[in-house]
C-alpha cells in the first residue's frame, strides 16, 4: 500500500500539532522556572515530552512504511512538520539548560 500525498500530509499535520503543543508547554515551563516554580515547570516539561513522543510515533508510522519499501509521496507539509519537530527538540534541550541555570541561582 503506497502512502499518497494526502496520507503523508495528515501525518505531517499530526507532527505539527504535537510539536506545537510541546513547544508551547516548554515555553510556559521556562516562564514558571523564571518565577521559581520548578515543580510546575517540571510538570510542563513532562507533558511536553509526552507530546514529543506522540509526534515521534506519528513520524515513525511513516518511516516504517517507507523502510518496508512502500512508496511515500512527500510534500511541503511533511517538510514543515519535520522542521517543527526538530526545532522543538532543540528548544527542549535549551529549556533544560536554562531551567538548570535558574535552579542554580536559587
Amino acid at each position: 500500500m503506497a502512502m499518497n500525498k494526502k496520507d503523508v500530509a495528515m501525518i505531517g499535520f499530526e507532527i505539527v500539532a504535537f510539536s506545537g503543543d510541546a513547544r508551547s508547554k516548554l515555553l510556559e515551563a521556562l516562564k514558571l522556572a523564571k518565577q521559581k516554580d520548578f515543580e510546575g515547570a517540571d510538570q510542563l516539561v513532562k507533558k511536553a515530552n509526552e507530546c514529543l513522543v506522540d509526534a515521534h510515533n506519528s513520524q515513525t508510522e511513516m518511516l516504517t512504511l517507507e523502510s518496508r519499501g512502500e512508496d511515500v509521496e512527500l510534500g511541503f507539509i511533511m517538510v514543515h512538520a519535520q522542521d517543527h519537530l526538530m526545532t522543538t527538540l532543540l528548544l527542549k534541550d535549551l529549556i533544560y539548560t536554562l531551567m538548570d541555570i535558574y535552579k542554580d541561582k536559587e
Side-chain angles (χ1 to χ4, degrees):
M1 169 184 116
M3 286 192 82
N4 63 35
K5 215 170 190 176
K6 182 180 176 185
D7 296 332
V8 174
M10 292 309 294
I11 293 172
F13 285 131
E14 287 178 7
I15 294 169
V16 168
F18 290 132
S19 298
D21 198 17
R23 182 181 186 277
S24 296
K25 286 174 177 27
L26 289 166
L27 292 172
E28 185 63 29
L30 183 60
K31 287 180 187 177
L32 292 179
K34 275 182 172 180
Q35 299 167 2
K36 308 291 187 218
D37 180 0
F38 299 114
E39 186 176 321
D42 288 340
Q43 287 298 317
L44 282 170
V45 167
K46 181 180 176 186
K47 289 179 182 178
N49 281 326
E50 292 169 3
C51 293
L52 289 170
V53 167
D54 289 338
H56 177 73
N57 288 341
S58 294
Q59 179 188 51
T60 300
E61 175 185 339
M62 185 187 64
L63 293 172
T64 300
L65 289 172
E66 187 172 26
S67 72
R68 292 181 185 158
E70 303 291 338
D71 276 337
V72 178
E73 292 184 48
L74 294 180
F76 187 74
I77 292 170
M78 183 52 74
V79 172
H80 177 65
Q82 295 303 305
D83 182 48
H84 244 277
L85 181 55
M86 294 299 295
T87 56
T88 302
L89 290 170
L90 176 60
L91 177 65
K92 181 181 87 166
D93 293 341
L94 292 171
I95 295 291
Y96 283 160
T97 300
L98 290 170
M99 285 175 58
D100 284 344
I101 290 170
Y102 288 129
K103 286 177 184 176
D104 288 344
K105 284 186 172 184
E106 198 164 295

